[in-house]
Amino acid sequence: MSEALRMHRRITRLNHIALMAKPGGHDLARAFYVDILEMQEVVLPPELLKDFDLMWFRFLDMMIHLSFTNDFVASPVGRHICLEVEDVFALRSKLETSGHIVEDQVLLPDRNRFFIPDPFGNYFELMEFKNN
């Protein structure tokens, strides 16, 4: 990627993605984000814990913020987050062995990929580019 494509006048990087979840789903969230996707659970600032039911998960230098709320609405399939992963087939096997149902969509010549909802219906595309 060229230097010009890496730079933006004001935006420096993506910090986090905020998703919603059904109340009481903390153990389901840990099982998916920590055990399956191998993200790190982040201790929340005490100021947030007074007013919000949240969990944060870190991967690389980004996070997913999961908000447990009664007004939860599952995302439609077309709205998803794409994570580029290493060894997508091993991850797929791990997900399927854990009882998760993966979804294949249009095959693309330059990548292997599949889609999966988290335990709350937030969709992820998990993808790995093929070696040229």
Side-chain angles (χ1 to χ4, degrees), residues 104-120:
D104 293 309
Q105 291 190 7
V106 176
L107 294 176
L108 299 174
D110 65 338
R111 68 198 75 182
N112 295 309
R113 69 188 188 133
F114 61 88
F115 290 76
I116 185 159
D118 75 356
F120 314 103

Side-chain angles (χ1 to χ4, degrees), residues 1-131:
M1 182 181 298
S2 74
E3 188 65 25
L5 291 177
R6 279 189 233 141
M7 299 194 57
H8 186 276
R9 186 175 145 157
R10 299 209 188 280
I11 301 171
T12 59
R13 71 183 186 91
L14 178 64
N15 178 274
H16 70 271
I17 299 160
L19 301 173
M20 297 174 77
K22 295 176 186 174
H26 300 79
D27 290 339
L28 290 172
R30 279 187 192 94
F32 184 78
Y33 289 100
V34 175
D35 298 342
I36 299 288
L37 295 183
E38 300 178 11
M39 295 180 182
Q40 176 189 9
E41 185 175 348
V42 176
V43 176
L44 279 94
E47 297 83 0
L48 287 176
L49 295 173
K50 292 185 288 185
D51 298 317
F52 301 100
D53 189 5
L54 304 169
M55 292 180 85
W56 289 359
F57 302 97
R58 177 181 306 282
F59 61 102
L60 302 171
D61 66 343
M62 292 168 270
M63 288 191 285
I64 290 179
H65 292 183
L66 201 55
S67 176
F68 298 90
T69 177
N70 287 324
D71 58 353
F72 163 80
V73 176
S75 298
V77 176
R79 188 177 307 154
H80 66 274
I81 298 161
C82 181
L83 299 176
E84 190 172 334
V85 302
E86 290 183 0
D87 202 351
V88 72
F89 294 118
L91 182 54
R92 180 185 183 125
S93 177
K94 184 176 183 180
L95 284 158
E96 290 174 331
T97 300
S98 298
H100 295 274
I101 298 172
V102 301
E103 301 172 14
D104 293 309
Q105 291 190 7
V106 176
L107 294 176
L108 299 174
D110 65 338
R111 68 198 75 182
N112 295 309
R113 69 188 188 133
F114 61 88
F115 290 76
I116 185 159
D118 75 356
F120 314 103
N122 299 301
Y123 270 82
F124 288 84
E125 176 182 352
L126 301 173
M127 177 274 284
E128 180 177 36
F129 284 104
K130 295 178 181 178
N131 294 332

